[in-house]
Each structure stands twice: as C-alpha cells, then as structure tokens.
Amino acid sequence: MKAGRFIFISLIALVIMLSAQPGVSYASQGAQAWDAPALPTLFPVPPDSLGALEDVEEVRSFTLLLIGVDSYFDKISGRSDSMILCRLDRNEGKIKIVSFMRDLYVRIPGRGNNRLNAAFVFGGQKLLRETLFNQFGVTADAYIAVNFTLMKEMVDQLGGVDITITKAEMTQINYWSRVYYARSRLNSASYVPLNEYGLVHLRGDQALAFSRIRNIDSDYQRTRRQRDVIAALFTKAAAMSNGELVNLVINNIGRVQTDIALGQALELLPLLTGMRRWEIETLRIPADKCFSSRTISGMAVLVPDLKKNQNVLKSFLGDAP
C-alpha cells in the first residue's frame, strides 16, 4: 500500500472518530489531589515534527497519532474526543489500533489532573503527546488532527464503508445524521435515512453518526465502534487504486493539522508496501480490569492503573518490557 494511501485512510479514519458529547466541563487545575505517580521517562520526549526520514528501507514500524477535535467548520480547536494510536508493524505484518478513552483521569504536564481530552485544549497536539508519553509511555512518529468539517465529503469520496449494525444502532445513526445536517447547515431536504440493519453501506454522515453512538450502551462500545470503522476503511481502501487515493490526499491534506509533509509521505512508500495483506488488531485503553470508575470534582472519570496499562500497551505494540 502506498504512503499516500495510508495518509488518506488515516485522515478518513480520524474524521469519523469525532464523537463529542456537548456540555462537558473540566475540573480546575489541581482541583483534586492524586497520589498516582507519573511513569518514569522510558522513551525520548516526542518530537514536534517528523523531520527528515533517513534509511527508510530499514524502518520496521511507523506510529501515527490520530486526533479528533470537537468542532465544526474549518476550526481545529477544542476537546480531543478521539485519540487513536495507529501503528504499522512491518515485522509482524500488522496494523495495530489503540483508542484512548477521553474520560481517562490523568496528570497533564503543567496543568494538574484532568480528563485526557483536556490536554489538547490546554496545549494542542504537543501537550497531548507529552501526556500520553508521561502517563502511558507511548510515542508517535507523527500526528494528524481534524474536525467534523471533512467527514461527509471525505468518506463519500472513498465511496462509503460497509459496517454490521443492530436495529438500535440504525435508529441512532438516523438521529445523529440529522444532527450533523443541522449543525453543518446542510439542506435537510436532501437527508435520506437508513432503513435497514445487519451488514449495511454507510455514507459519510452515517459513518460519523455510528461512531458517535453512546447512549444505547456505553462509551466503551463507542470506542469499539470507532475501531470497527477504521478497520472497515482499511479494507475498503485496499480495493482502490493508488492513483485515486493519492489524488484525494493532494486535494484534502491542506485542510488538516499535521506534521507530515507530502514529500515525507512519499518517503514512507517502502514501509507501506504490501499492507493490504496485513492483519488488523485493536485495543482500548484503559484495558479491562486496569482502572476504576470514580467521581472527582464533579467529573465522572476513569482512573487508570498506570503500570498495568503501560504493560498491556507494551505487550500489544510489541515494545520491549
């Protein structure tokens, strides 16, 4: 798979992961004492940008941080309600997808304790990456941040995605699609509801709606839906020509926030060759039995056992213990 193909898939996958719930407030800085220590420095501090790529033939893996921001139109600011680490592992022939839940209660460097999705508000991608490194020991080679604006058009440019849904999910998809039309100021007369469930083909607005569903079950299932859609996108893109996807990258990459230049994407070609045959594996952090649910300063949060989650991540991503 070409680098342009991977970058475009990442843009699409990130856009559909935007799944904000309105009305969430943040605790003030240092509002609650917390005795959980930060993890020791195990990795270099993540760089501000990818920089020049050297000896790309020797690169065995590449990790991209996908950030979905809670905002409409062309502004990329607000809460990072979707934070997904996507690693391409050439040695294992796998694509590994890790979603970090937005309600994780963490220590944000220089900002005290808060939900993980507050890090992007306080300091953008740099502070979010520092927080993930400091609390969970993970880094990314590069990042892409987008908002709601690109959702419909980009997924539709890809031709939509095939997802298996339930009847309850179908109802929620129709509800959130209408919300999308209203907030994006689209002509509601052009809206067409989904009338079937099982294995269905979703438009861009419907894929976004599917990824936002939470009230029929939980936020844990919401992040599972997000990972399902990313996997469907990789499958769909594998059937498209490299030329089609590279053109789409060129047409859309200027509308996202990223530290990847088009030339750098092209340099990654050797790493991505043959990706269509790779397996896809997914993980949620906090992992099962590695956190506790609490209410702190009026916030419902997930307090992670940092060491246990770090170990789960190391095992999943293949990092040395």
Side-chain angles (χ1 to χ4, degrees):
M1 182 180 290
K2 302 297 184 182
R5 174 187 295 268
F6 173 64
I7 297 302
F8 181 69
I9 296 170
S10 300
L11 300 182
I12 295 292
L14 194 280
V15 176
I16 65 173
M17 295 305 99
L18 297 169
S19 50
Q21 299 294 329
V24 177
S25 62
Y26 298 117
S28 60
Q29 178 177 339
Q32 175 72 29
W34 189 33
D35 58 5
L39 291 177
T41 299
L42 302 179
F43 305 95
V45 175
D48 292 333
S49 62
L50 187 60
L53 293 172
E54 299 180 0
D55 300 321
V56 71
E57 290 285 356
E58 301 301 318
V59 175
R60 307 310 300 173
S61 67
F62 182 80
T63 304
L64 183 69
L65 177 62
L66 309 175
I67 308 169
V69 183
D70 175 15
S71 62
Y72 283 84
F73 309 109
D74 293 327
K75 189 176 181 181
I76 302 180
S77 63
R79 297 165 296 196
S80 56
D81 280 324
S82 297
M83 296 155 283
I84 299 174
L85 203 67
C86 185
R87 172 170 292 186
L88 285 66
D89 191 317
R90 177 184 276 173
N91 289 331
E92 296 188 40
K94 293 179 178 179
I95 300 167
K96 300 180 179 181
I97 302 169
V98 182
S99 54
F100 292 85
M101 295 187 70
R102 61 188 184 178
D103 290 337
L104 277 164
Y105 191 64
V106 297
R107 179 171 293 156
I108 300 174
R111 290 286 186 168
N113 305 326
N114 214 316
R115 287 189 174 104
L116 179 61
N117 67 349
F120 192 81
V121 178
F122 294 142
Q125 62 85 21
K126 182 177 181 181
L127 185 57
L128 174 58
R129 291 167 77 175
E130 289 177 354
T131 302
L132 290 173
F133 158 73
N134 182 271
Q135 298 290 275
F136 299 105
V138 294
T139 61
D141 297 301
Y143 84 99
I144 296 176
V146 300
N147 59 17
F148 286 118
T149 308
L150 296 181
M151 176 57 227
K152 182 179 184 299
E153 54 203 85
M154 292 181 69
V155 172
D156 286 340
Q157 286 175 42
L158 188 60
V161 291
D162 297 323
I163 298 287
T164 299
I165 66 170
T166 65
K167 184 177 181 180
E169 288 171 333
M170 178 190 73
T171 300
Q172 287 295 304
I173 287 171
N174 287 333
Y175 169 79
W176 283 109
S177 290
R178 292 189 186 95
V179 170
Y180 171 80
Y181 269 70
R183 293 182 180 174
S184 299
R185 302 173 188 173
L186 297 174
N187 182 5
S188 59
S190 64
Y191 171 74
V192 177
L194 188 65
N195 295 312
E196 58 182 344
Y197 54 94
L199 181 60
V200 298
H201 189 75
L202 301 181
R203 303 185 307 257
D205 59 295
Q206 293 169 335
L208 171 60
F210 177 73
S211 299
R212 299 190 70 189
I213 297 171
R214 184 176 68 168
N215 62 324
I216 61 174
D217 37 47
S218 69
D219 207 33
Y220 306 108
Q221 291 303 312
R222 184 180 67 91
T223 59
R224 186 268 302 167
R225 293 183 183 98
Q226 295 173 359
R227 295 190 297 272
D228 286 349
V229 175
I230 288 183
L233 286 166
F234 275 111
T235 300
K236 181 65 181 291
M240 301 182 71
S241 72
N242 294 328
E244 289 173 326
L245 290 173
V246 169
N247 285 337
L248 290 171
V249 172
I250 293 172
N251 292 335
N252 292 291
I253 197 169
R255 301 175 62 190
V256 305
Q257 192 179 97
T258 182
D259 53 0
I260 303 175
L262 186 60
Q264 292 173 323
L266 297 177
E267 289 182 73
L268 289 169
L269 288 174
L271 174 62
L272 307 169
T273 301
M275 187 189 296
R276 71 179 60 191
R277 297 186 299 273
W278 291 8
E279 295 179 33
I280 299 175
E281 296 182 348
T282 66
L283 176 69
R284 185 203 73 227
I285 294 296
D288 291 341
K289 301 180 180 180
C290 296
F291 69 98
S292 61
S293 298
R294 301 184 193 174
T295 298
I296 301 177
S297 299
M299 299 186 300
V301 296
L302 306 173
V303 180
D305 182 312
L306 296 178
K307 193 62 180 179
K308 286 183 178 179
N309 280 284
Q310 182 197 36
N311 289 337
V312 169
L313 280 163
K314 283 182 179 181
S315 177
F316 178 76
L317 294 174
D319 293 327

